[in-house]
Amino acid sequence: MCNRGNGTISLAHSPDIDADTLSNVILAEARQTISDLNEEREDAKVTYLGPVQFSNELFVDLEGVPARIMGPEEIEIFEAVLLQYYRDEFPGTDIQSVTVVSQMLLFEESRALRSELTTVRRARRMVTNRVLVHVSGSCGTGCAAPPEAEELTSSIHARSDEFIVKLTTAREMQAASTGNDVPNYFVDIQTIIPSAATKQPELPPPRDPEGG
C-alpha cells in the first residue's frame, strides 16, 4: 500500500538568493531527510516524487454561438481565458496549458420557436459548438493532488456566467486593439456546459443547418 503525503513550508530568505539556488538547497535537504527516515523505519519506504505531471480532457459546450466553429483568433482567446480561469480556480496547481483539440457543431430547434413553424417554413436552430479541450500541468508542493476532470468541469459549472463575460470581454478588447470588426463569436452564448471527455454528453447529432 502506498500513501501520498503533502506538506507546505514557509521560508523567509534574502532577496539576493535566486529561486533556482534556493530550490536546489531545499531538494538536497529533502533527499537527506527522506534518507534519514528510511534508515529509522523498517516498516515503510519513503520516496520523493517531485512535481507530478497531469493531463485531462473535457468537453466545453458553447450554446448560442454562430453556425461556424471558432477561427484561429477566437481559439486563441478561448484558450487564454480558460487557462487564466483555471489558474485562478486552482492557485496551488501549476496549470501550464489549455489546448483546443477539436470542435463540432450541433444544431437543435429552439423549443420556444416550434409553435411558429405553421407560419415560418424554416425553423431557427440553437447552435452549439462542442469543444474538446486538453488541460495539462503539474502538482508540486502547493497542491494536495492534481485536479480531476470532474473538478475542472464543476468549476466552470459554478461560474459559467462569469466565464461567458470573460470570453466576450476578451474578444471585444482584441477587436479594439486590432481593428478587427468581425462580429463577436461569444456575445450570444446562452450557457456553457462542461463535461468529462470520458463520457460524452447526449445532445442531438450534428446536422446541416441548411437541411430539413
Side-chain angles (χ1 to χ4, degrees):
M1 180 178 179
C2 178
N3 294 316
R4 182 183 174 191
N6 185 70
T8 301
I9 299 174
S10 297
L11 180 66
H13 64 87
S14 168
D16 296 331
I17 304 175
D18 66 89
D20 290 338
T21 299
L22 189 62
S23 296
N24 291 334
V25 171
I26 293 173
L27 288 174
E29 290 298 324
R31 294 188 182 97
Q32 184 58 52
T33 300
I34 290 170
S35 177
D36 294 342
L37 285 171
N38 285 326
E39 288 182 4
E40 294 173 4
R41 302 195 57 173
E42 297 180 355
D43 59 338
K45 178 176 176 57
V46 180
T47 303
Y48 175 70
L49 298 178
V52 177
Q53 298 295 317
F54 70 88
S55 64
N56 278 304
E57 288 191 342
L58 63 147
F59 290 106
V60 180
D61 287 359
L62 309 176
E63 291 191 351
V65 298
R68 63 177 179 85
I69 61 174
M70 291 183 288
E73 291 184 350
E74 291 148 348
I75 290 175
E76 181 181 350
I77 290 172
F78 181 84
E79 292 175 339
V81 170
L82 187 54
L83 175 63
Q84 187 58 53
Y85 181 86
Y86 279 144
R87 285 176 173 172
D88 293 340
E89 286 290 294
F90 303 96
T93 304
D94 182 16
I95 307 291
Q96 297 168 350
S97 69
V98 169
T99 306
V100 170
V101 178
S102 65
Q103 303 178 68
M104 180 172 64
L105 293 183
L106 300 153
F107 302 87
E108 181 182 17
E109 290 180 4
S110 172
R111 293 186 183 90
L113 296 173
R114 285 177 183 168
S115 61
E116 301 176 13
L117 296 184
T118 54
T119 56
V120 180
R121 294 179 61 86
R122 178 178 161 189
R124 281 176 271 173
R125 292 177 172 85
M126 171 74 72
V127 182
T128 296
N129 187 357
R130 174 168 293 165
V131 186
L132 178 59
V133 179
H134 182 86
V135 181
S136 64
S138 67
C139 178
T141 57
C143 65
E148 300 289 341
E150 289 74 13
E151 294 177 275
L152 296 174
T153 58
S154 63
S155 68
I156 297 180
H157 265 303
R159 296 165 58 190
S160 60
D161 289 344
E162 178 182 335
F163 186 57
I164 293 172
V165 171
K166 288 180 181 293
L167 285 172
T168 304
T169 303
R171 181 65 183 88
E172 291 173 349
M173 292 176 63
Q174 184 199 60
S177 64
T178 62
N180 188 339
D181 60 354
V182 175
N184 193 325
Y185 185 84
F186 308 106
V187 72
D188 291 324
I189 292 178
Q190 297 187 12
T191 187
I192 292 180
I193 304 175
S195 60
T198 52
K199 184 178 181 180
Q200 188 165 330
E202 293 184 3
L203 279 180
R207 293 186 295 168
D208 184 348
E210 300 300 328

